[in-house]
Amino acid sequence: MMHTYVAIAGEATRKLPAPPVFFGLFAFGVLSLLLFLVLRLDRD
C-alpha cells in the first residue's frame, strides 16, 4: 500500500523538459499558423 503512495508522489514531482511558458508559446505558434493556413485556403 505504501508503494502506491510513493509512486504517486514520484509522478507529481516529475520535471518538465522545458519551462511551461515554452509549451504555451509553442502551442500558440502552431495554432496561429494553422489558423493562418485555414483562412488563406478559404480565401481562394
Side-chain angles (χ1 to χ4, degrees), residues 1-8:
M1 178 104 173
M2 193 60 159
H3 298 295
T4 309
Y5 293 126
V6 172
I8 292 172

Side-chain angles (χ1 to χ4, degrees), residues 16-38:
L16 293 172
V21 176
F22 173 76
F23 290 108
L25 290 174
F26 180 74
F28 179 77
V30 169
L31 292 175
S32 297
L33 178 64
L34 290 175
L35 179 63
F36 171 75
L37 291 174
V38 166

